[in-house]
C-alpha cells in the first residue's frame, strides 16, 4: 500500500524487487495524493530471502504524505507451487450459454457479434496455485493490441470486446498480471490458443446480405429460389415444407442456427417431390446419367452371363439394382448453385437386348438430402453466405441453415448404354 501523486502518471513509481506495483495517475491535481494498493508476484531465493521496496518520485519532487510499505507477504515453494496458467478453450457466446462454436479445432472460428456489435466469449482457463488467482488474466488480442482482459474465474470466464475492424482475426490469450494493474499487457502474455477467431459485425452481415440479394435476382431456377429462402427465411415454391432438427457437427461451420444447450436446433426441411421441375432436372442432368452408367457397368458380367446361359431369350429385364453417386456435382448451373455436392442413392432396372446388349428401356429412381450451408473459404459467393450464417440470429433473420431433399424418378426408352 502507499500514497502517490495525482498530477502525472508514471511518477511516484513503487516497485518490489524491480517489479512495478503502482504509480501516480494523470489527473492534473498537483500535490494532491491518492491511496493505492497492489499485489505483485516476485521471485526470491530460499528463506530468509530478500524483498526490496523502492519508491521513485522520478522528478525528485517530494510530496507530503508520500509513502509505500509492504503489508503482507505470502511465500510459495517454486518446487511445488510453480505458477501456471492453463488456457484450454474458448467458446463463442454470441448465443448466451451455448458451447457449440469453439476453439481450438477451427482456424479460424467464425462468429457473429451480438446486437450491440461486440464479440462475446466464454473462456475455459485456470491458474495454479489458486492463491494467486487474482493475477491470472485472459484476454483477446488483435495483432499486438490487447482489446480486453479480465481475471480468470472458476469454470468459465466471460469476456467481451469491440471489433478492431471488419473481418479481422483475433487471438485468445492468457498470462500473469505481473505489474498488478488489472489489465493484461502484451508483454505479460504467456499462453495463446493455437487457433484464431473472426468476428463478423453488423456491417459485414449487411454487406453480404446486399450482395447475395442482388445475386439471387440474377440467378435462375432452384439456385435463386433456395438462395432467397436462405436470405429472407422464406419458403421456396413447389416444396413440401416440414420441420427438422439439425446438429452443429453437421455443418461446415457450427453457425447459422439458434442452438440449444445440446447444440441442436430446429430448422426447415424443404422437399422437392417426384414430378416437380427440380426433380425432373435432376433426373436428366448429364452428371446423373453418367453416374447411372458407371453404376450399370458393375453389372456387366451378370448381364453377359445371363444371355450366355439363356440363348433363346432375346430381351430381358434386370434389377432392380441399387445405385449411388457420392460427391456428385450437377452439370446444370442452377442445380450446381443450389446443391453443390450431393450423395445420391436409388434403384435402377433395365431391359437389355441380346443382339447388341443395349439398354432398350430404363427405370430409375433416386434421392438425396442436403444441408444448405456455406464454407467461408469456398468458391464465391460462399464467403457471403457464411457471413450471414455467422450473423444469425443476433444480426438478422437471414442466414439460417436448412435441409433440402430431392426425390426423382424416370422411365425412358432413350438411354444410351450397352453392356459390351
Amino acid at each position: 500500500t502507499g500514497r502517490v501523486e495525482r498530477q502525472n502518471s508514471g511518477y511516484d513509481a513503487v516497485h518490489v524487487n524491480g517489479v512495478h506495483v503502482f504509480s501516480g495517475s494523470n489527473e492534473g491535481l498537483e500535490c494532491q495524493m491518492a491511496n493505492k494498493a497492489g499485489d505483485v508476484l516476485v521471485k526470491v531465493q530460499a528463506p530468509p530471502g530478500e524483498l526490496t521496496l523502492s519508491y521513485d518520485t522520478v522528478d525528485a519532487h517530494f510530496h507530503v504524505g508520500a509513502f509505500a510499505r509492504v503489508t503482507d507477504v505470502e511465500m510459495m515453494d517454486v518446487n511445488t507451487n510453480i505458477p501456471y496458467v492453463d488456457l484450454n478453450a474458448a467458446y463463442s457466446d454470441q448465443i448466451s450459454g451455448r458451447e457449440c462454436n469453439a476453439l481450438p479445432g477451427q482456424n479460424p472460428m467464425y462468429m457473429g457479434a451480438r446486437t450491440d456489435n461486440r464479440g462475446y466469449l466464454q473462456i475455459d482457463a485456470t491458474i495454479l496455485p489458486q492463491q494467486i488467482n487474482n493475477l491470472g488474466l485472459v484476454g483477446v488480442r488483435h495483432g499486438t493490441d490487447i482489446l480486453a482482459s479480465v481475471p480468470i474465474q472458476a469454470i468459465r470466464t466471460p469476456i467481451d470486446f469491440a471489433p478492431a475492424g471488419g473481418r479481422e482475426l483475433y487471438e485468445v490469450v492468457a498470462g500473469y498480471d505481473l505489474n498488478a494493474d488489472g489489465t493484461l499487457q502484451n508483454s505479460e502474455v504467456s499462453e495463446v490458443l493455437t487457433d484464431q477467431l473472426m468476428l463478423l459485425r453488423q456491417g459485414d452481415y449487411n454487406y453480404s446480405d446486399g450482395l447475395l440479394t442482388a445475386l439471387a435476382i440474377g440467378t435462375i431456377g432452384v439456385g435463386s429460389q433456395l438462395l432467397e429462402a436462405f436470405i429472407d427465411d422464406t419458403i421456396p415454391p413447389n416444396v413440401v415444407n416440414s420441420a427438422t432438427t439439425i446438429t452443429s457437427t453437421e455443418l461446415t461451420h457450427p453457425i447459422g442456427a439458434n442452438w440449444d444447450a445440446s447444440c441442436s436446433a430446429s430448422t426447415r426441411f424443404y422437399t422437392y417431390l417426384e414430378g416437380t421441375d427440380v426433380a425432373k432436372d435432376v433426373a436428366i442432368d448429364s452428371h446423373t446419367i453418367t453416374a447411372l452408367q458407371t453404376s450399370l457397368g458393375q453389372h456387366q458380367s451378370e448381364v453377359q452371363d445371363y444371355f450366355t446361359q439363356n440363348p433363346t431369350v432375346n430381351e430381358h429385364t434386370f434389377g432392380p439394382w441399387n445405385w449411388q453417386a457420392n460427391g456428385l456435382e450437377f452439370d446444370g448451373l442452377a442445380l450446381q448453385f443450389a446443391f453443390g455436392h450431393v450423395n445420391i442413392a436409388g434403384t435402377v432396372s433395365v431391359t437389355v437386348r441380346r443382339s447388341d446388349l443395349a439398354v432398350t428401356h430404363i427405370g430409375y429412381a433416386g434421392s438425396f438430402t442436403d444441408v444448405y450451408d456455406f464454407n467461408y473459404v469456398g468458391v464465391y459467393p460462399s464467403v457471403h453466405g457464411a457471413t450471414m450464417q455467422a450473423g444469425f440470429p443476433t444480426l438478422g433473420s437471414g442466414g439460417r441453415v436448412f435441409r433440402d431433399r430431392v426425390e426423382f424418378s424416370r422411365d425412358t426408352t432413350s438411354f444410351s448404354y450397352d453392356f459390351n
Side-chain angles (χ1 to χ4, degrees), residues 6 18 29 49 54 62 136 167 192 200-201 223 232 241 253-254 271 301 325 354 373:
R6 300 177 65 183
L29 297 179
S54 64
F62 179 75
R167 305 182 188 276
V192 182
L200 284 313
R201 313 161 304 159
D232 300 325
N241 175 38
H253 310 296
T271 302
S301 296
R354 162 187 287 278
D373 75 332

Side-chain angles (χ1 to χ4, degrees), residues 2-8 11-14 22-25 27 30-36 55-56 63 65-68:
R3 288 175 63 82
V4 293
E5 72 166 65
R6 300 177 65 183
Q7 173 65 20
N8 296 308
Y11 293 80
D12 292 357
V14 176
F22 53 80
S23 58
S25 54
E27 300 178 68
E30 298 182 347
C31 294
Q32 293 189 38
M33 305 292 284
N35 293 322
K36 285 196 175 182
Y55 188 117
D56 185 2
H63 296 289
F67 77 94

Side-chain angles (χ1 to χ4, degrees), residues 13 66 162 190 331:
S190 61
D331 183 41

Side-chain angles (χ1 to χ4, degrees), residues 89-94 111 114 118-124 137-141 146-151 153 156-162 171-173 184 197:
Y91 303 91
S92 167
D93 205 34
Q94 175 185 1
M111 59 177 285
R114 286 191 189 174
R118 295 178 65 85
Y120 286 77
L121 298 168
Q122 293 280 347
I123 299 176
D124 177 4
L137 299 173
V138 291
V140 176
R141 183 169 68 181
I146 307 295
L147 303 183
S149 61
V150 294
Q153 299 181 20
R156 296 285 184 268
T157 301
I159 188 171
D160 63 274
F161 63 99
E171 295 175 306
V172 177
V173 298
L184 185 65
L197 67 93

Side-chain angles (χ1 to χ4, degrees), residues 262-330:
S262 64
C263 296
S264 297
S266 176
T267 192
R268 301 183 191 272
F269 194 171
Y270 305 131
T271 302
Y272 293 94
L273 298 176
E274 295 179 14
T276 60
D277 288 343
V278 173
K280 292 176 182 177
D281 289 343
V282 168
I284 64 173
D285 186 87
S286 65
H287 290 181
T288 303
I289 301 302
T290 300
L292 265 170
Q293 292 170 335
T294 300
S295 181
L296 291 176
Q298 300 172 10
H299 301 279
Q300 182 182 48
S301 296
E302 178 184 344
V303 172
Q304 292 178 351
D305 290 347
Y306 176 84
F307 284 108
T308 298
Q309 296 165 10
N310 297 274
T312 61
V313 177
N314 293 321
E315 195 173 64
H316 184 72
T317 298
F318 297 87
W321 296 319
N322 292 327
W323 74 282
Q324 64 182 29
N326 294 326
L328 184 142
E329 184 178 40
F330 295 109

Side-chain angles (χ1 to χ4, degrees), residues 83-266:
Y84 177 67
V85 171
D86 192 7
L87 183 57
N88 300 309
Y91 303 91
S92 167
D93 205 34
Q94 175 185 1
I95 304 171
S96 181
R98 304 296 182 254
E99 297 187 352
C100 309
N101 194 9
L103 290 175
Q106 306 177 77
N107 195 22
M109 174 182 81
Y110 301 100
M111 59 177 285
R114 286 191 189 174
T115 54
D116 61 1
N117 221 26
R118 295 178 65 85
Y120 286 77
L121 298 168
Q122 293 280 347
I123 299 176
D124 177 4
T126 56
I127 184 169
L128 296 173
Q130 292 184 347
Q131 297 96 308
I132 59 170
N133 191 61
N134 61 317
L135 293 179
L137 299 173
V138 291
V140 176
R141 183 169 68 181
H142 175 258
T144 58
D145 297 328
I146 307 295
L147 303 183
S149 61
V150 294
I152 293 174
Q153 299 181 20
I155 310 300
R156 296 285 184 268
T157 301
I159 188 171
D160 63 274
F161 63 99
R167 305 182 188 276
E168 294 289 322
L169 292 172
Y170 306 89
E171 295 175 306
V172 177
V173 298
Y176 306 104
D177 187 13
L178 295 176
N179 62 2
D181 67 350
T183 61
L184 185 65
Q185 311 298 323
N186 194 47
S187 60
E188 297 172 328
V189 170
S190 61
E191 298 291 323
V192 182
L193 277 184
T194 53
D195 296 333
Q196 297 178 304
L197 67 93
M198 179 182 290
L199 178 68
L200 284 313
R201 313 161 304 159
Q202 186 71 64
D204 303 317
Y205 178 92
N206 294 346
Y207 181 74
S208 291
D209 187 355
L211 283 178
L212 292 181
T213 298
L215 183 61
I217 295 173
T219 305
I220 61 173
V222 66
S224 174
Q225 295 166 7
L226 291 185
L227 183 56
E228 288 177 350
F230 174 79
I231 296 168
D232 300 325
D233 195 29
T234 54
I235 302 172
N238 304 315
V239 299
V240 175
N241 175 38
S242 58
T244 188
T245 299
I246 198 166
T247 62
S248 62
T249 56
E250 297 179 65
L251 306 182
T252 307
H253 310 296
I255 50 179
N258 196 356
W259 305 118
D260 62 19
S262 64
C263 296
S264 297
S266 176

